[in-house]
Amino acid sequence: MHTRRTPRRTRTAAALIASAALLLAGCSSGTPTTSRAGSPVAGAAAALAPLPGSTPAALAPYYAQEPAWRDCGVPGFQCATVKAPLDYAEPSAGDVRLAVARKKATGPGKRLGSLLVNPGGPGGSAVGYLQMYAGIGYPAEVRARYDMVAVDPRGVARSEPVECLNGPAMDAYTRTDITPDDEKETEALVSAYRTFAEGCGAKRPELLRHVSTVETARDMDIVRAVLGDEKLTYVGASYGTLLGATYAGLFPERTGRLVLDGAMDPSLSARRLNLEQTEGFATAFTAFAEDCVRRGDCPLGGKGTSPEKAGENLTAFFEKLDARPMSAGDADGRELTESLATMGVIAAMYDEAAWQRLREALTSAMKESDGAGLLVLSDSYYERDAGGAYSNLMSANAAVNCLDLPPAFESPDDVRAALPDFEKASPVFGEGLAWAALNCAYWPVRATGEAQRIEAKGAAPIVVVGTTRDPATPYRWAKGLAAQLSSARLLTYDGDGHTAYGRGSACVDAAINTYLLKGTPPADGKRCS
């Protein structure tokens, strides 16, 4: 499964690929796990155990690095490279080089240290997010007091990126039919998953075994030390909440002010994550449909049309595309397929500010047989540029997710058995997202992680933020994570879209800013709108 962060002021990272199994990942292991009482509990997710408080001698050189900061080519920002061990179990086996960027505190006021940010994914470039949004768009009072810092996780963007397919091959992959009607189409989908997985495994097999969330969290501790901070201050969105929570679980005594916005629940299996996220997209679509039919330009129905009927109308449109793709005026000759149209609609579910654009794109496609608008939405979601090149977002997303958790499904028969549950969760998106969850079954590297609770006993207060109609990280996940973390403070945003900080709620922003600047967390259970 896979989540992403999409701020209003700029779009950053994360793609859902033709696969919801690429959507999210549960927390990977790599350390002993115990129950709350200290012993395994049958049938329940074990708890992530903290690492020893002292730094092992073999890792000391990594913690003692002094970064050579240089100009990034982006005014106001500096960049550096920090090394981490490829394999924490064998630090002598080689390094990974991590790209780090910062924008120093501008003042006035006493500097509070470094504030690391991560936009989610997995696979989103934190450096790109910092330079395009956080370093210039976070509240001025926060940027005045903190050095704003980002590190691209291992395997992502500037940090030794995982690469699976070239542009033309990715074009073929993203248009693969993810609602197979017969055995031939099922075989084509399985073949596409195998081709993608083989491409990933062929280029950097050693890296592919070491891009887990636990390893990236350990990398963050090296970066924290290199920056000279005693504790980590961090804002993570979407998948970035799993990364931040994992850090707190591994290093509770080094955990400072953490904000986990659009939270994930690490105790859930891949299948459960995919099913509940499917419900999240259904909730978001209902909100979109209710808004759409109140307007005069809604192609899914007029005033009084129920969300259910609007969904039926959209499903009928998808079925027409399944039978006959639509012209999209694309320079490379691509047509709008059912899979690309579905991703275009899903892309707009992340932010209610995109609903007007979606209405216009659906109107052009459904009324005028022009698929250009939906194709643009889909391309932005996949991070495909006008020249036909893709970022490594989708490759890194799969690499992390398929390593972090055992696959949701092992075979097409498993998917078929689960279809009723997924279609009940979302009559519009359920079938496609169920088949999408099959991709990790063909991954060339066996999963090293497992679902587990994160308690982080001894950590400072951690602010967990949940949005009630979040499509990608359902609100129940925020409640689930907050119930696990021993020091959590749950902050609820009653609204639409994915994540809450910096998205228009003065109440949410004030609560988080106060926490970051003064160390005072909001009261547990505080609600904003």
Side-chain angles (χ1 to χ4, degrees):
M1 191 185 295
H2 163 125
T3 64
R4 70 174 185 175
R5 157 81 176 191
T6 309
R8 287 173 186 254
R9 281 161 280 190
T10 189
R11 184 194 171 282
T12 61
L16 177 93
I17 181 182
S19 146
L22 288 180
L23 279 119
L24 282 177
C27 180
S28 67
S29 184
T31 58
T33 56
T34 60
S35 73
R36 191 176 294 268
S39 58
V41 177
L48 177 66
L51 291 169
S54 60
T55 300
L59 297 181
Y62 294 101
Y63 278 80
Q65 294 174 83
E66 295 185 6
W69 294 102
R70 62 187 184 278
D71 180 70
C72 282
V74 180
F77 293 87
Q78 296 175 309
C79 289
T81 300
V82 172
K83 293 181 180 180
L86 173 66
D87 183 353
Y88 278 91
E90 291 188 53
S92 62
D95 300 333
V96 291
R97 297 170 62 85
L98 306 173
V100 184
R102 73 177 180 184
K103 186 177 184 184
K104 299 190 76 171
T106 57
K110 181 181 178 181
R111 178 182 174 276
L112 294 174
S114 304
L115 172 57
L116 267 69
V117 295
N118 184 282
S125 172
V127 171
Y129 174 73
L130 177 74
Q131 294 175 343
M132 292 189 294
Y133 173 65
I136 56 177
Y138 263 39
E141 58 269 34
V142 173
R143 291 182 285 117
R145 306 287 300 281
Y146 284 101
D147 290 348
M148 300 293 295
V149 179
V151 53
D152 278 346
R154 52 174 63 201
V156 173
R158 299 162 179 84
S159 295
E160 302 196 19
V162 173
E163 301 285 357
C164 298
L165 302 176
N166 62 20
M170 283 299 301
D171 282 345
Y173 183 59
T174 59
R175 64 174 176 259
T176 302
D177 187 352
I178 56 169
T179 57
D181 299 317
D182 52 36
E183 193 58 37
K184 182 178 180 180
E185 291 186 353
T186 301
E187 291 174 358
L189 178 58
V190 169
S191 177
Y193 288 149
R194 290 187 186 277
T195 298
F196 185 86
E198 289 166 1
C200 293
K203 297 180 181 179
R204 294 289 304 276
E206 74 289 349
L207 178 63
L208 215 59
R209 295 183 178 91
H210 295 288
V211 292
S212 70
T213 297
V214 160
E215 288 162 314
T216 295
R218 297 188 70 171
D219 293 345
M220 286 205 306
D221 195 53
I222 291 175
V223 172
R224 172 204 58 78
V226 166
L227 293 170
D229 294 308
E230 291 186 5
K231 294 192 175 185
L232 179 74
T233 301
Y234 173 85
V235 177
S238 198
Y239 164 79
T241 67
L242 177 62
L243 187 55
T246 301
Y247 180 91
L250 295 174
F251 306 103
E253 300 300 327
R254 301 176 194 172
T255 296
R257 301 170 189 178
L258 262 60
V259 177
L260 308 180
D261 183 15
M264 290 179 56
D265 184 342
S267 70
L268 303 181
S269 68
R271 175 172 170 173
R272 179 90 174 268
L273 287 167
N274 279 276
L275 181 61
E276 293 188 2
Q277 190 178 62
T278 298
E279 294 173 348
F281 280 112
T283 297
F285 177 77
T286 295
F288 164 73
E290 289 174 344
D291 177 79
C292 185
V293 300
R294 288 197 293 265
R295 303 172 185 273
D297 60 347
C298 182
L300 300 178
K303 291 183 179 180
T305 301
S306 68
E308 292 77 15
K309 180 59 178 176
E312 291 172 5
N313 293 338
L314 181 58
T315 299
F317 169 66
F318 287 158
E319 290 173 349
K320 289 181 180 179
L321 288 176
D322 189 24
R324 186 175 181 179
M326 178 181 295
S327 172
D330 180 64
D332 296 320
R334 293 178 303 150
E335 294 181 307
L336 181 70
T337 63
E338 178 192 20
S339 58
L340 291 170
T342 300
M343 291 305 116
V345 173
I346 283 176
M349 295 296 99
Y350 283 82
D351 189 345
E352 67 272 25
W355 288 358
Q356 178 179 346
R357 187 178 179 189
L358 176 60
R359 288 198 311 274
E360 293 169 351
L362 285 172
T363 297
S364 294
M366 298 174 72
K367 305 294 185 182
E368 303 165 15
S369 298
D370 179 2
L374 285 174
L375 186 61
V376 167
L377 282 170
S378 179
D379 283 351
S380 69
Y381 199 67
Y382 285 122
E383 294 194 356
R384 181 191 191 273
D385 65 25
Y390 290 75
S391 76
N392 94 305
L393 172 63
M394 292 166 60
S395 300
N397 184 271
V400 175
N401 285 328
C402 295
L403 195 62
D404 269 0
L405 280 181
F409 301 118
E410 297 282 357
S411 70
D413 284 343
D414 288 346
V415 179
R416 294 185 186 102
L419 280 175
D421 290 339
F422 277 76
E423 291 173 334
K424 180 180 179 181
S426 173
V428 177
F429 304 118
E431 181 184 5
L433 295 184
W435 282 105
L438 179 62
N439 73 311
C440 286
Y442 308 102
W443 202 243
V445 176
R446 181 180 294 274
T448 58
E450 61 186 359
Q452 54 194 337
R453 299 190 323 280
I454 299 180
E455 299 172 355
K457 293 180 179 179
I462 298 172
V463 176
V464 176
V465 187
T467 298
T468 55
R469 293 182 294 280
D470 191 315
T473 52
Y475 178 60
R476 68 169 71 178
W477 291 355
K479 293 194 292 184
L481 178 60
Q484 295 165 46
L485 291 170
S486 62
S487 61
R489 304 290 190 273
L490 178 62
L491 174 61
T492 297
Y493 172 52
D494 186 3
D496 297 294
H498 184 39
T499 74
Y501 186 42
R503 298 192 69 251
S505 170
C507 172
V508 168
D509 292 355
I512 293 175
N513 292 343
T514 298
Y515 173 59
L516 291 175
L517 295 171
K518 298 181 180 180
T520 305
D524 188 30
K526 180 178 176 63
R527 297 185 71 91
C528 294
S529 59

